[in-house]
Amino acid sequence: MIRAFLALPLPVAIVHRLTLVQARLPLPRPTDPEGFHVTLAFLDRQPEPVLEDLHVALEGLRLPAPRLRLDGLGTFGGADPDALHARIAPDPALSALSAKVTQAARGVGIAVKARRFVPHVTLGRFRKGESNPEALARAMAAVGEVTSDPWVAPEMILYRSTLRHEGPLYDPLATYPLAL
């Protein structure tokens, strides 16, 4: 079984910008900047033959390259956040890409959970009770606006995610060029 997801990698300049932002935030479990990405569809644990079927399906699609832009900071998890992220500005082409690859995954038998697509880059995580919401809000405000000029994502990657004590490791399994 392979834990996998489909995502867009980030340009070096955006990784650098987010690394600087990340360093200014109280994150007990920061995400390794080498792993920064925008998830399109989380596939969970799948047998290798199913991922091979998905690979064939994705290779047969003409997928448009979306435009992405950083659009601030946010948290997931409500009053006791479990993750801090950089928001990606909403974009119909990006949402359509997520829907299309999710549909392809479901078409080969992957039960992708139905959830609202919220494009983001995870900067760090918190264990239950580990975050101080007030201090986190002050730090986020002190960082200021986290925005960027738009960029075009030239490719999508099928990643293997290996969970480790020191944080997940992401290995690319396949790359799919996106139509510019």
Side-chain angles (χ1 to χ4, degrees):
M1 299 291 275
I2 297 173
R3 186 173 190 265
F5 62 94
L6 290 161
L8 302 173
L10 303 181
V12 172
I14 298 298
V15 170
H16 179 71
R17 168 92 169 98
L18 292 177
T19 301
L20 294 175
V21 168
Q22 185 186 50
R24 297 182 59 199
L25 296 166
L27 298 171
R29 297 173 50 216
T31 302
D32 182 345
E34 288 184 22
F36 286 167
H37 62 270
V38 177
T39 300
L40 297 170
F42 179 67
L43 308 173
D44 208 355
R45 296 182 192 285
Q46 302 300 325
E48 191 169 335
V50 171
L51 291 178
E52 289 171 2
D53 290 346
L54 177 60
H55 173 67
V56 170
L58 292 172
E59 282 190 319
L61 296 177
R62 179 169 163 76
L63 300 169
R67 292 175 60 86
L68 297 96
R69 182 176 54 82
L70 296 177
D71 189 36
L73 295 174
T75 59
F76 291 125
D80 184 19
D82 57 15
L84 184 139
H85 62 272
R87 290 190 306 264
I88 300 294
D91 178 73
L94 180 58
S95 295
L97 177 61
S98 174
K100 197 165 195 173
V101 300
T102 297
Q103 181 181 22
R106 289 180 176 145
V108 300
I110 298 173
V112 178
K113 288 183 182 175
R115 59 174 63 163
R116 186 171 62 95
F117 178 60
V118 180
H120 66 279
V121 179
T122 301
L123 300 179
R125 299 186 186 283
F126 305 94
R127 289 188 175 93
K128 192 77 174 150
E130 192 174 50
S131 70
N132 177 332
E134 294 79 23
L136 189 57
R138 284 192 302 275
M140 289 168 62
V143 166
E145 285 191 32
V146 178
T147 59
S148 70
D149 290 332
W151 74 90
V152 175
E155 63 186 12
M156 175 180 70
I157 299 177
L158 172 61
Y159 285 101
R160 171 197 311 260
S161 173
T162 304
L163 297 179
R164 305 173 306 161
H165 177 69
E166 61 273 17
L169 177 66
Y170 305 134
D171 295 305
L173 298 175
T175 301
Y176 309 92
L178 300 175
L180 300 174

